[in-house]
Amino acid sequence: MGGNSLATRKLSAAWNLARRKPFVFLRNSSSTALGIFLSALMRIRTLYRLTCARLLLWKHQAKGKVPSKDGVIAITVSTNYHEFLRYCIDANLEKVDHWIVVTSNDDCETISLLEKHGKIEMLFWNPTRQGRTFDKGGGLKLGQNFAHSKYPGRWYLILDSDICLPPEFHFAPGLFDELEIGSIYGASRRDFYTKEDFIERKNSHNYQELGNPGYGTGNAVGYFQLYALPLYYSHSRTAAYCDIQFRNKFLKSSLIPNLVVDHLGSPGNWNGKGNTAVGWER
């Protein structure tokens, strides 16, 4: 087959698309040999993750391990988000047993705010280590290692630092009896773009109706992820998609009915804090 043949040119174009936009490539070229091969690899990877989750679940069940209902352990990565944290901290502490916050050691504002609260334990990490833009996954993995070790056998809650658990929010009595250990759970969310709207409880936007790919109804994503099986985040280049990868390690994902959280500011800070806190300062 000649190097300039039509088939060769098509395969070359497909390969270039695969490198630049792998998911678009798989959707548009599943009939090509390379597309089929990469699609098979993705399926094998998914099967491997689910098998690991099942084995871990069976191990817990064999030992008769049931998550404690003593209280939820929250885990948050927060760097330069003190403007939002100051509005969330008291409300969130009322709903969880302990709160582990991972921040950078040069974030003096966040450290000063958190050290006043005994139920909060701070850990420190470098979000730009090894040339990363914002390694949210690595920060959460650090927090998870600490939480799973110090507070084993509990329910754990991944919570973003701009998420506030509102007054009507509560973990209903008997809720944990209904949750499956092998699953991960999310909550619905309403966005408040301005401080005035949040304080006055008006003009909120339903996040589940915004059409964000991969973030629709039924999915437990990074702003709120409740789980019991001790699985872990992976290091990430940015804050994007590491929550999806973590979610996909579980057997099932769903939203807890009638559970809604508040989000402060504009959505989408995948590279760390943007300008979403403008107007939220005291």
Side-chain angles (χ1 to χ4, degrees):
M1 183 182 294
N4 292 322
S5 69
L6 178 61
T8 300
R9 291 198 302 271
K10 284 185 176 180
L11 184 58
S12 176
W15 175 247
N16 289 332
L17 178 60
R19 290 194 300 172
R20 290 186 286 108
K21 299 180 179 180
F23 295 105
V24 174
F25 163 73
L26 288 176
R27 184 178 69 243
N28 295 338
S29 61
S30 58
S31 61
T32 68
L34 186 57
I36 293 172
F37 174 71
L38 293 179
S39 179
L41 283 181
M42 292 180 69
R43 292 187 179 186
I44 292 172
R45 186 180 182 185
T46 299
L47 180 60
Y48 171 75
R49 287 175 173 174
L50 293 178
T51 300
C52 290
R54 287 192 178 96
L55 290 174
L56 187 57
L57 177 59
W58 290 338
K59 179 180 177 181
H60 274 60
Q61 291 173 333
K63 293 183 177 181
K65 291 186 176 181
V66 178
S68 171
K69 305 170 190 175
D70 292 340
V72 173
I73 308 299
I75 307 168
T76 296
V77 162
S78 182
T79 298
N80 300 320
Y81 265 77
H82 56 276
E83 296 98 335
F84 293 133
L85 269 178
R86 69 174 73 256
Y87 290 98
C88 305
I89 194 166
D90 291 329
N92 291 353
L93 284 174
E94 291 177 358
K95 310 296 193 309
V96 301
D97 191 32
H98 290 281
W99 194 0
I100 298 162
V101 179
V102 183
T103 187
S104 53
N105 56 16
D106 59 352
D107 186 356
C108 299
E109 293 278 2
T110 296
I111 294 171
S112 176
L113 177 65
L114 298 180
E115 64 186 4
K116 304 172 185 177
H117 300 270
K119 287 174 65 176
I120 294 180
E121 298 171 87
M122 278 186 287
L123 303 176
F124 300 97
W125 107 119
N126 179 3
T128 59
R129 182 174 175 268
Q130 295 182 340
R132 295 182 171 94
T133 302
F134 188 79
D135 184 15
K136 180 181 180 181
L140 285 173
K141 184 177 181 180
L142 174 65
Q144 289 175 314
N145 276 315
F146 181 85
H148 297 171
S149 176
K150 185 171 181 178
Y151 306 102
R154 304 286 285 272
W155 285 96
Y156 307 98
L157 175 61
I158 302 295
L159 194 67
D160 274 356
S161 51
D162 50 11
I163 292 294
C164 183
L165 305 180
E168 72 273 14
F169 181 100
H170 63 282
F171 294 108
L175 170 66
F176 296 117
D177 293 327
E178 302 174 2
L179 302 184
E180 299 177 1
I181 302 176
S183 298
I184 186 170
Y185 296 92
S188 297
R189 166 180 142 182
R190 52 183 168 238
D191 292 348
F192 292 96
Y193 295 159
T194 69
K195 179 172 62 176
E196 289 73 20
D197 285 346
F198 171 65
I199 293 174
E200 297 176 14
R201 313 295 296 170
K202 67 179 184 180
N203 299 327
S204 63
H205 304 266
N206 188 326
Y207 185 72
Q208 270 66 38
E209 295 177 355
L210 294 180
N212 297 291
Y215 283 73
T217 301
N219 291 320
V221 291
Y223 64 84
F224 183 106
Q225 292 178 317
L226 181 69
Y227 69 98
L229 209 57
L231 293 167
Y232 296 86
Y233 266 72
S234 300
H235 286 279
S236 60
R237 184 154 298 280
T238 70
Y241 300 115
C242 57
D243 58 329
I244 303 297
Q245 294 171 343
F246 177 65
R247 180 192 70 193
N248 291 343
K249 293 181 179 181
F250 291 82
L251 300 179
K252 288 192 295 184
S253 167
S254 62
L255 297 181
I256 301 175
N258 304 316
L259 217 56
V260 184
V261 300
D262 294 341
H263 173 266
L264 313 187
S266 304
N269 300 301
W270 308 126
N271 295 324
K273 180 185 175 183
N275 63 355
T276 58
V278 173
W280 288 84
E281 304 89 345
R282 282 190 185 272

